[in-house]
Amino acid sequence: MTATAAARKSPPARAEARERHALTGTGTLLRFNLRRDRVRLPVWIGALFLGTVGTLSSFTSQYPEPADRKSVGETMDSPAGLAMTGPARYLDDYNYGAMLGHQMLGFVLIMVGLMSVLTVTRHTRTEEETGRAELVRAAVVGRHAHLTAALGTAAVANAVLALLIAVGLGASGTEDVTWGGSLLYGAAHAAVGLVFAAVAGITVQISQFSRGASGMALAVIGAAYALRASGDVGNGALSWLSPIGWAQRTYVYVDDRWWPLLLALALAAATTAVAYRLSTRRDVGAGLRATRLGSPVASDALARPLGLAVRLHRGMLAGFGAGLLLLSVMYGSILGDAEDMIEDVKELREAVQKVGGANVAESFASTVMIVLAVVAAVYAVMAALRPQSEETSGRAEPLLATGLSRSRWAGAHLTVAMLGGVVVLALAGLGFGAAGAAATGDAGFFLDLLVAPLAYAPALWVTVGVAAVLFGWLPRATVASWVLPVYAFVVGYLGKILDFPGWMNNISPFGHVPALPAESMRWTPVLILTALAAALVALGLAGFRRRDLETK
């Protein structure tokens, strides 16, 4: 009788039942995702919140007078300055709120996008890649439950971040930072975060591998930022093609326009619908883009551990190399205006003078160099953790079942991570040197800036060594590898402006690197860091030889 009644259900009722079944288990998976990310997401949210509030505090101390703010606004009114920050509309009344929206919003939105992409990828494609999703879906879990829970996790993280930022900025009591503007500032983060989470929802359907899915989504973030920068330098048309540009065109704390965020929400809804549609066109574990068959005969290089590692790392290496080259060119293009930018700002001028150097351009370049080094350190951590990804996905097991030793296999990946770090630093120096020499009109600057980033190579190797130790001895704690680059940025870059105690800089490997080109080369700390990195890598390989391998 029950079966007969079910068979007589109308088509809309059956469709509704199928949709309800497709979401079965979403709540349980969402709670499980939040529990797994109980450390990761609070760190992300806390860092972005403190970075925003701390920057606003630094603005009030560095630019106490309206004349100071007007002066720095005038220096930003150049093609290079607008490309680095945002549209010129903010410069009309450069108060503290306008400064925050102009200088910080675009950069923080990139980090929000990164957080959203990694969150969605981790809870969808990575789960399928490791085989856990197949086991879970063998139980009472709907087809769309994983994707919905992942998007929900990203949405919760973005909502909490938006709320914290809105309350934190609104309650700061800073002049011209209103409650209405603060709510809009926080909402812009949530809206753009939802867009890039939905973009990741699409890319995880396309690629069979989590790194490929993350790479495609990060490329979209990069393209959005490039469109925003190009549009702000030109007539603004290209900026309307970018979610980041929409957020900046709310003109928060200036005009407080909410309607551009509707474009972001509409795009997020449309891309989410596409993601669900695409997810029905593939099997679990497969991607829409078929994996290309390789050559039936491997080259001699691929038959060796180092050659195989280079092949596996080449995509990420190329992406970081291109990104750092572009970033360094943008920094180098404003080097000629460095003296004008800090001339009337006492605190910033003093911070740069602490670095030393024969002139302001050298001191400013040394300060910027830490940003380039931190980005290179992000690559170093991701590359150093590639062996763990190979192990957890089950691809390391058949290799290590042959005569290949664990040390040679993991050592090849770590070697590529260390040499790759040097390559991305060299590309950063190439872009910084070429653009800096052109901006200052000093051809001799090219060689100085070309070589200066390479001084950070030993610090990068120490970062790789720490990741190797965690991978070898404490594979469940490898997330702690991210502490070094985050700490280096907070203390090495913001610490000079906010006048952190010197001991905080001394406990970072990046704090012992000579600040070229403002300082002269000191070989002792460089050699000590190199020896420390070698010892850490050896310790990590020793641990990997002794522990059990994660098998499938």
Side-chain angles (χ1 to χ4, degrees):
M1 182 64 182
T2 303
T4 303
R8 291 177 179 173
K9 283 182 178 177
S10 62
R14 287 199 297 271
E16 182 182 351
R18 283 199 301 272
E19 188 65 23
R20 185 170 64 249
H21 295 161
L23 298 176
T24 299
T26 300
T28 303
L29 286 176
L30 176 60
R31 291 193 296 275
F32 183 55
N33 291 348
L34 294 174
R35 177 178 171 76
R36 291 180 63 195
D37 287 348
R38 62 187 181 278
V39 175
R40 190 186 303 261
L41 286 181
V43 169
W44 266 107
I45 294 170
L48 295 174
F49 169 70
L50 293 177
T52 301
V53 175
T55 301
L56 177 62
S57 176
S58 70
F59 283 161
T60 59
S61 60
Q62 293 172 17
Y63 312 105
E65 301 298 331
D68 298 332
R69 299 190 287 274
K70 182 180 179 182
S71 175
V72 75
E74 291 173 351
T75 60
M76 292 290 178
D77 194 12
S78 64
L82 297 177
M84 289 287 294
T85 52
R89 175 73 179 89
Y90 287 97
L91 303 178
D92 294 344
D93 180 14
Y94 216 46
N95 55 50
Y96 290 126
M99 292 178 71
L100 196 65
H102 189 229
Q103 297 188 29
M104 279 295 291
L105 188 56
F107 282 112
V108 177
L109 290 180
I110 294 174
M111 303 307 293
V112 171
L114 181 61
M115 177 185 72
S116 301
V117 166
L118 295 180
T119 299
V120 172
T121 305
R122 167 178 160 81
H123 293 297
T124 51
R125 178 51 66 180
T126 301
E127 291 297 289
E128 294 186 36
E129 195 173 349
T130 57
R132 289 191 291 264
E134 187 175 5
L135 290 176
V136 172
R137 290 182 62 169
V140 186
V141 174
R143 182 181 186 88
H144 295 315
H146 264 110
L147 178 58
T148 307
L151 293 173
T153 305
V156 169
N158 284 298
V160 171
L161 175 63
L163 184 62
L164 277 177
I165 287 179
V167 173
L169 294 180
S172 67
T174 305
E175 178 185 352
D176 299 316
V177 178
T178 62
W179 274 102
S182 300
L183 288 174
L184 178 58
Y185 194 89
H189 288 68
V192 176
L194 290 176
V195 170
F196 289 123
V199 168
I202 291 178
T203 59
V204 296
Q205 314 303 329
I206 298 174
S207 176
Q208 190 175 352
F209 303 102
S210 58
R211 290 182 181 275
S214 299
M216 284 190 285
L218 295 180
V220 173
I221 296 177
Y225 188 81
L227 286 171
R228 194 283 306 162
S230 302
D232 290 343
V233 173
N235 59 8
L238 289 176
S239 298
W240 287 104
L241 301 177
S242 165
I244 298 175
W246 299 339
Q248 288 192 320
R249 268 155 181 74
T250 58
Y251 297 126
V252 60
Y253 299 116
V254 178
D255 296 333
D256 285 345
R257 301 193 304 185
W258 283 83
W259 65 264
L261 297 187
L262 296 178
L263 298 174
L265 294 178
L267 179 60
T271 47
T272 299
V274 173
Y276 281 119
R277 184 68 177 172
L278 294 178
S279 70
T280 63
R281 296 173 178 265
R282 67 177 181 87
D283 293 329
V284 177
L288 292 173
R289 188 180 66 179
T291 304
R292 291 186 305 171
L293 295 176
S295 171
V297 180
S299 65
D300 292 339
L302 287 180
R304 294 178 172 82
L306 186 60
L308 179 59
V310 170
R311 176 68 173 269
L312 294 175
H313 286 253
R314 65 180 183 181
M316 184 170 62
L317 180 59
F320 269 89
L324 260 178
L325 182 63
L326 177 62
L327 181 63
S328 60
V329 168
M330 294 175 69
Y331 272 123
S333 64
I334 63 172
L335 207 55
D337 301 325
E339 190 165 358
D340 295 334
M341 291 172 62
I342 66 173
E343 181 181 13
D344 298 325
V345 187
K346 177 183 175 184
E347 288 77 5
L348 191 57
R349 190 173 63 247
E350 290 177 349
V352 171
Q353 286 173 348
K354 289 178 184 176
V355 180
N359 53 52
V360 173
E362 285 187 355
S363 304
F364 188 75
S366 301
T367 303
V368 169
M369 208 71 71
I370 187 67
V371 178
L372 303 177
V374 167
V375 177
V378 171
Y379 159 78
V381 171
M382 294 181 69
L385 296 181
R386 180 61 188 255
Q388 186 181 36
S389 174
E390 294 294 303
E391 180 187 0
T392 55
S393 63
R395 292 190 290 269
E397 185 181 355
L399 286 175
L400 296 176
T402 64
L404 178 63
S405 70
R406 292 190 181 191
S407 296
R408 288 187 64 201
W409 176 77
H413 283 281
L414 297 177
T415 300
V416 174
M418 298 170 83
L419 295 179
V422 176
V423 170
V424 295
L425 284 175
L427 289 172
L430 178 64
F432 202 27
T440 59
D442 183 359
F445 226 34
F446 173 72
L447 187 58
D448 293 340
L449 297 180
L450 177 65
V451 176
L454 298 177
Y456 284 92
L460 251 62
W461 297 339
V462 171
T463 304
V464 172
V466 171
V469 169
L470 292 171
F471 167 67
W473 293 93
L474 302 168
R476 291 177 179 270
T478 50
V479 68
S481 307
W482 292 102
V483 170
L484 280 182
V486 172
Y487 187 84
F489 177 75
V490 172
V491 175
Y493 183 70
L494 297 180
K496 291 175 181 175
I497 297 175
L498 303 179
D499 202 18
F500 286 178
W503 64 266
M504 294 183 68
N505 197 45
N506 292 336
I507 61 176
S508 166
F510 294 83
H512 298 278
V513 176
L516 303 178
E519 295 181 357
S520 57
M521 185 63 186
R522 291 178 284 111
W523 289 101
T524 302
V526 170
L527 294 176
I528 291 175
L529 288 173
T530 302
L532 176 61
L536 288 171
V537 169
L539 181 62
L541 292 177
F544 182 54
R545 286 196 300 268
R546 285 165 173 76
R547 70 171 173 84
D548 291 335
L549 193 69
E550 183 174 333
T551 58
K552 298 297 178 185

